[in-house]
Amino acid sequence: MTRTIVITGTDTEVGKTVVTAALAAAADGRGLSVAAVKPVQTGVGPGDTGDVDEIRRLSGVDDVHEFARLAEPLAPATAAERAGVALPAVAEMAESIRYLAGRDLVLVEGAGGLLVELDSRGGTIADLAGHLGAPVLVVARAGLGTLNAAGLTCQAIRSAGLACLGVVIGSWPAQPDLASLCNLADLPRYTGVPVLGRLPEDAGRLGQEAFREVTRQGLAQELVEDMVAGNAGRA
């Protein structure tokens, strides 16, 4: 049975793509057939390298998909409107993602935060997760603001009737300051979910072999075993 996980962030530029690639690499390394989807990419002009390309490069997984790529670095709905493009509704995106049902695991990386409008009708990342019936993993940054942003995001996930799997820090500094260390300890209390990993701040610049090693060290065994055992969809 295919498991689907939606990866969202507390904000943009928190490391969602690196975390998605890490999950793909971990699942692939355990022998799972895995696909990754970034429904809409923005800030990617013609000939530029986008998030799906980075997922493929870092993880070594080739089964990576996108539905639209837009040049302006804006929220998908806004970038599409300015480009004169109509994005498919999230229900249509979900239907396309269901065609990947032959895989063991499907990873869906959102754009920005949970309530970013992903289509031209106001559908959000949360709406897409609802259509898929998928649990959500939250990627947060280290440092100040993390507790509030992660706590509110996890609360919004649960309010939408979705399961919140946990939090992963997408870019953990080599020399964390006191705020980062304190927030790491306090995140479970603020969010009600476990911290399921920390990936170093330079992870996205590594080659594939080194990245896979970082993934083995940086993701909590609990998260990896969930993916392998097929328990990732539990509430």
Side-chain angles (χ1 to χ4, degrees):
M1 182 178 179
T2 301
R3 303 298 179 193
T4 302
I5 299 175
V6 172
I7 297 98
T8 193
T10 54
D11 199 349
T12 189
E13 302 297 329
V14 295
K16 293 187 302 298
T17 297
V18 171
V19 170
T20 302
L23 295 173
D28 182 69
R30 291 297 193 93
L32 298 184
S33 59
V34 54
V37 182
K38 174 87 173 187
V40 182
Q41 297 188 85
T42 62
V44 186
D48 291 345
T49 299
D51 291 342
V52 295
D53 307 299
E54 284 300 289
I55 293 170
R56 187 179 292 112
R57 180 186 69 82
L58 288 168
S59 69
V61 171
D62 290 324
D63 197 358
V64 185
H65 308 266
E66 63 182 329
F67 304 139
R69 183 178 286 212
L70 300 163
E72 289 194 282
L74 302 169
T78 303
E81 181 180 4
R82 288 174 56 83
V85 174
L87 295 173
V90 292
E92 297 174 53
M93 295 182 190
E95 191 61 32
S96 295
I97 292 169
R98 291 191 187 97
Y99 279 107
L100 301 173
R103 287 68 167 178
D104 296 316
L105 178 69
V106 176
L107 303 167
V108 182
E109 180 193 339
L114 183 72
L115 301 182
V116 166
E117 292 186 356
L118 191 60
D119 67 19
S120 298
R121 299 169 176 81
T124 66
I125 310 297
D127 293 326
L128 178 61
H131 281 290
L132 292 168
V136 183
L137 182 70
V138 177
V139 181
R141 62 168 51 93
L144 292 174
T146 295
L147 294 180
N148 186 63
L152 289 173
T153 298
C154 292
Q155 181 181 355
I157 290 168
R158 288 188 287 265
S159 295
L162 303 169
C164 186
L165 290 178
V167 177
V168 173
I169 305 297
S171 183
W172 184 252
Q175 296 182 316
D177 58 15
L178 182 59
S180 297
L181 293 171
C182 290
N183 285 355
L184 182 67
D186 289 339
L187 269 168
R189 178 164 60 89
Y190 274 76
T191 62
V193 294
V195 176
L196 294 174
R198 291 175 288 166
L199 296 177
E201 58 190 353
D202 66 345
R205 297 190 290 272
L206 298 174
Q208 190 179 117
E209 184 175 345
F211 182 76
R212 287 202 170 212
E213 180 57 35
V214 160
T215 293
R216 283 190 286 270
Q217 297 175 7
L219 294 179
Q221 193 65 23
E222 175 185 352
L223 177 57
V224 177
E225 290 302 327
D226 271 355
M227 293 190 297
V228 172
N231 295 321
R234 74 184 191 277

